[in-house]
Amino acid sequence: DAGVIQSPRHEVTEMGQEVTLRCKPISGHDYLFWYRQTMMRGLELLIYFNNNVPIDDSGMPEDRFSAKMPNASFSTLKIQPSEPRDSAVYFCASSTTPGQGSSYEQYFGPGTRLTVT
Amino acid sequence: AQSVTQLDSQVPVFEEAPVELRCNYSSSVSVYLFWYVQYPNQGLQLLLKYLSGSTLVKGINGFEAEFNKSQTSFHLRKPSVHISDTAEYFCAVGKGSNFGNEKLTFGTGTRLTIIP
């Protein structure tokens, strides 16, 4: 399996622009997580989906952030408009339903490094 | 709610020396515990996990951890470190079964630096 795939790996944009980050989870995984990592706040869970349905978006910082999962193999995280404080590494992770032979492990993608100037 | 505390933000260790990275957690329910490693410019990957059974858990790359319920700790150890162990290490906790255990709470990480 190719693992969790994220694109782009690096994104540099100007304040006010729309940014879209993409994620392809591991095939067969039914949970998808979006995290943000910064030096100041560490690793934060933004939102997660189960079977393409958002379960908990309490970590989404504000209305400028939105996430969708139109099908089992694709998710997007959108920031509109972007601000310099959104600069961070954004990770996507996927896992399987506990109890179905899974190890409860979340598999992480390589991340997208976002810089907003 | 559950939380994870990694007391040491940075740990420098000489090559071939032993190392212990500390992790304490708090939770009102039973837990699953994990250690992840993040190499520079990469995502996190699982080192080891405790779900149940033996409290001493062995993982990849010669690492092991011991679950201590009375002290609510899950410290990571390696008897002899190598330059390639330089990375950031994250402790994470998830709720045990029957408690909605799909989410993990991560600690703030410990940066392990191996000195030649």
Side-chain angles (χ1 to χ4, degrees), chain B residues 64-111:
Chain B
E64 64 180 30
E66 185 154 19
F67 171 56
N68 187 319
K69 187 175 181 179
S70 63
Q71 296 187 4
T72 61
S73 67
F74 190 56
H75 299 334
L76 180 70
R77 296 190 291 259
K78 186 170 182 177
S80 175
V81 295
H82 188 267
I83 288 286
S84 59
D85 294 323
T86 295
E88 186 132 18
Y89 293 78
F90 293 89
C91 183
V93 60
K95 293 179 183 178
S97 59
N98 302 321
F99 292 104
N101 56 355
E102 60 268 18
K103 286 199 320 184
L104 298 181
T105 300
F106 285 84
T108 52
T110 297
R111 185 174 300 276

Side-chain angles (χ1 to χ4, degrees), chain A residues 9-102:
Chain A
R9 291 295 308 277
H10 302 273
E11 177 79 39
V12 180
T13 190
E14 293 183 348
M15 183 174 61
Q17 297 298 306
E18 178 180 293
V19 175
T20 299
L21 312 181
R22 297 173 176 78
C23 174
K24 176 180 170 56
I26 292 173
S27 177
H29 282 191
D30 53 354
Y31 280 93
L32 185 139
F33 304 82
W34 281 102
Y35 291 90
R36 178 172 68 175
Q37 185 179 38
T38 62
M39 290 293 292
M40 291 297 296
R41 302 174 67 92
L43 194 64
E44 304 172 274
L45 176 63
L46 300 178
I47 185 172
Y48 74 96
F49 297 82
N50 178 223
N51 291 324
N52 314 334
V53 176
I55 302 301
D56 184 352
D57 65 354
S58 60
M60 296 286 262
E62 49 197 277
D63 292 345
R64 297 185 297 107
F65 285 70
S66 62
K68 294 182 180 180
M69 193 164 186
N71 58 61
S73 59
F74 183 66
S75 177
T76 60
L77 178 67
K78 186 176 293 187
I79 308 173
Q80 166 64 17
S82 58
E83 297 182 2
R85 60 194 170 115
D86 301 330
S87 297
V89 180
Y90 292 81
F91 288 104
C92 175
S94 69
S95 70
T96 59
T97 297
Q100 294 180 359
S102 76

